[in-house]
Amino acid sequence: MEKASAPPRVFVSASGVGYYGSRHDDVALTEDAPPGDDLLARLCVDWENAARAAERHGARVVCARLGVVIDGDGGALPLMARPYRFFVGGPLGAGTQYFAWVHREDVVRVLLRCLDDSSIAGPVNLTAPETVTNEQFSIALGQVLRRPSWTRVPDWALRAALGEGAEVVLGGQRAVPRKLLDAGYEWRYPRVREALRAALAR
């Protein structure tokens, strides 16, 4: 960008709701909430700071903090759905941790909006407006797959299997897309059951 004769006017960078750290509360986190202090949060902070360097070259910078992207063709959802197909699906840990999610189609639409809408800048929580806990998400997934959601995976088993990485799934973030709501964005899939049904109907 420093060497370009005509630097880009906008730079959109993918970040994540991990910016807020692993949380075990129900505090609504809008874009002005402070960052967390775990490894993933520090990575997101460094990543966004690097992206914002583009502002020095006149670019409008957007840091899209994505939740878990709901997509039937890849990513986390097929892995999450697999135990349900064998009737052993259920919440992770206590299930009270919040699970920030967004459908893939809304991700694409929001990123295009960020490119075109000059009023959007800085961090943007790219999540659905409906906030759900891990247990609520698990119940919805079971209902869509027509499977029970009763096999709870205990904290100790996740820590034994994932080590420090278990905190990513045992904690969570109740990330609220305040900037998108204020901008009047209309979600194609605002509710988790609709999103799961659309993603898994293929």
Side-chain angles (χ1 to χ4, degrees):
M1 292 179 71
E2 287 179 354
K3 296 179 180 178
S5 58
R9 291 174 294 176
V10 59
F11 183 74
V12 178
S13 175
S15 183
V17 294
Y19 174 94
Y20 304 109
S22 180
R23 305 288 293 256
H24 296 271
D25 53 38
D26 63 352
V27 174
L29 301 166
T30 58
E31 290 85 354
D32 57 356
D37 193 38
D38 55 29
L39 177 62
L40 186 56
R42 293 194 298 272
L43 176 62
C44 288
V45 169
D46 290 346
W47 189 270
E48 291 187 13
N49 286 340
R52 295 195 73 142
E55 293 173 341
R56 297 198 299 266
H57 307 292
R60 174 175 57 86
V61 174
V62 178
C63 294
R65 295 175 181 163
L66 281 82
V68 175
V69 179
I70 300 303
D71 175 23
D73 294 331
L77 185 59
L79 296 174
M80 297 171 69
R82 189 174 301 160
Y84 287 84
R85 300 189 190 281
F86 295 97
F87 295 87
V88 290
L92 303 177
T96 56
Q97 68 274 31
Y98 274 84
F99 185 84
W101 65 276
V102 62
H103 191 278
R104 180 181 67 173
E105 191 169 333
D106 280 306
V107 171
V108 174
R109 294 174 72 229
V110 168
L111 292 177
L112 290 172
R113 173 76 177 266
C114 290
L115 285 171
D116 295 334
D117 189 339
S118 61
S119 71
I120 299 176
V124 173
N125 285 344
L126 212 176
T127 59
E130 181 185 44
T131 59
V132 296
T133 64
N134 180 270
E135 183 160 13
Q136 291 168 332
F137 183 89
S138 300
I139 290 171
L141 180 55
Q143 290 173 341
V144 169
L145 292 172
R146 297 181 181 177
R147 296 289 192 276
S149 179
W150 57 38
T151 309
R152 189 178 300 275
V153 182
D155 293 18
W156 64 265
L158 288 166
R159 290 195 169 95
L162 303 175
E164 292 182 5
E167 194 57 34
V168 175
V169 292
L170 291 175
Q173 304 86 15
R174 188 182 179 191
V176 177
R178 174 53 54 198
K179 281 191 178 180
L180 293 177
L181 289 166
D182 290 345
Y185 176 75
E186 294 184 9
W187 277 260
R188 185 67 54 87
Y189 297 103
R191 299 194 176 278
V192 70
R193 279 184 182 81
E194 298 168 1
L196 288 169
R197 195 171 291 115
L200 295 170
R202 307 175 186 203

